[in-house]
Amino acid sequence: MDADGAGRNDYDEFAEAYDLENETSLTNAYHERPATLALAGDVAGRRILDAGCGSGPLFAALRDRGAQVTGVDSSAGMLEVARTRLGADADLHLADLAGPLPFADATFDDVIASLVMHYLPDWGPTLRELRRVLTPGGRLIMSIYHPMSAYCIERLAGRRPDYFTTWSWTEEWAMGGETQTMEFWMPPLHAMSDAFGAAGFRIAVISEPRPVPEAADLFPEDYRLLATAPGLLFFVLTAAPV
Ligand SMILES: C[S@@+](CC[C@H](N)C(=O)[O-])C[C@H]1O[C@@H](n2cnc3c(N)ncnc32)[C@H](O)[C@@H]1O
């Protein structure tokens, strides 16, 4: 890995192993995905961009519910797994959410960004681009690590002295025989709200759902933790008219 962090967050290295984990894990299968689908509601007929679609489990669930889904991700390896899951005709694109997206203005009714924004150091350009590809009144539904849990973990470890600045930290993820350094970025809540407003979004919903109840028997210890402490934070934002 370079000193500047190049080579971090390389999902290509463990795409299949991550997909297997995502299929059954408490965080993804019993917490994040059900919560996102509940917030999205009836999506039949809606044009949805799955931003940071990974291996496509949410894409599949939205498509099963009648949505017309497009996926975008910066990992070719994850998109390959998504292609296997979703079929040759699935609309999948390789692109970095930090840059311009290959879609015309007002292409989508909804953008869903599940567990991806916390990989981006600067949310401004990405939010503006997501706003551009949404129809006025369209929704951006996003989930991130909860900023308070991210703060408490780093504070208790003596690494984060100041909540009020955007913070980045790294974790070593071992999966499928590979170890990768993952780097995350977490602005304080007020900075998220400022960035939403500056990009032309209004906050419609802030949600802190617990995992679904059936997870209690499958993951008793972790369930107890996630049912009593913040783990993930969800927003539903609406795109203001330009
Ligand atoms: C934690 S996974 C979540 C995948 C999927 N949204 C889900 O919930 O199953 C994060 C995904 O975001 C993608 N990603 C990370 N940074 C990205 C960026 N700058 N642009 C596009 N995709 C990115 C990764 O390649 C990975 O597939």
Side-chain angles (χ1 to χ4, degrees):
M1 181 197 311
D2 301 341
D4 66 1
R8 289 181 175 175
N9 300 339
D10 190 354
Y11 273 83
D12 285 351
E13 292 297 320
F14 51 49
E16 283 182 17
Y18 177 81
D19 178 56
L20 283 177
E21 163 79 13
N22 183 303
E23 271 294 298
T24 54
S25 74
L26 172 59
T27 298
N28 300 100
Y30 296 91
H31 193 188
E32 199 285 329
R33 210 155 35 247
T36 292
L37 290 167
L39 287 169
D42 180 4
V43 292
R46 291 181 80 81
R47 297 162 299 164
I48 300 182
L49 176 64
D50 184 354
C53 63
S55 54
L58 183 66
F59 185 125
L62 293 164
R63 194 175 62 178
D64 287 349
R65 288 161 173 75
Q68 190 185 317
V69 192
T70 295
V72 64
D73 201 281
S74 59
S75 160
M78 292 294 273
L79 289 175
E80 208 179 305
V81 180
R83 176 77 59 204
T84 304
R85 161 180 277 121
L86 300 166
D89 60 349
D91 189 22
L92 294 168
H93 301 257
L94 182 68
D96 190 333
L97 290 171
L101 294 175
F103 310 112
D105 295 359
T107 301
F108 300 104
D109 300 308
D110 298 312
V111 174
I112 298 188
S114 284
L115 300 179
V116 65
M117 289 300 288
H118 48 227
Y119 290 100
L120 297 163
D122 180 2
W123 288 17
T126 304
L127 288 170
R128 284 195 294 279
E129 194 58 359
L130 297 181
R131 168 68 193 83
R132 182 187 68 75
V133 302
L134 272 171
T135 52
R139 303 176 301 175
L140 169 56
I141 301 170
M142 66 183 260
S143 63
I144 52 170
Y145 292 149
H146 199 293
M148 192 42 64
S149 72
Y151 168 68
C152 288
I153 291 166
E154 289 292 290
R155 178 84 182 211
L156 287 173
R159 290 188 292 254
R160 184 174 179 178
D162 183 2
Y163 166 79
F164 293 102
T165 56
T166 293
W167 185 253
S168 111
W169 75 99
T170 59
E171 293 174 11
E172 299 297 314
W173 282 14
M175 236 179 260
E178 298 287 339
T179 300
Q180 275 292 311
T181 302
M182 310 304 281
E183 183 170 36
F184 305 95
W185 298 83
M186 187 58 72
L189 196 53
H190 75 271
M192 294 180 198
S193 168
D194 291 349
F196 297 152
F201 285 106
R202 301 284 171 271
I203 297 175
V205 177
I206 294 180
S207 177
E208 298 173 307
R210 294 177 172 89
V212 292
E214 54 265 39
D217 290 336
L218 296 168
F219 311 90
E221 227 171 274
D222 289 345
Y223 177 85
R224 250 194 312 280
L225 182 64
L226 281 180
T228 55
L232 299 177
L233 181 65
F234 295 72
F235 296 100
V236 180
L237 311 174
T238 53
V242 276

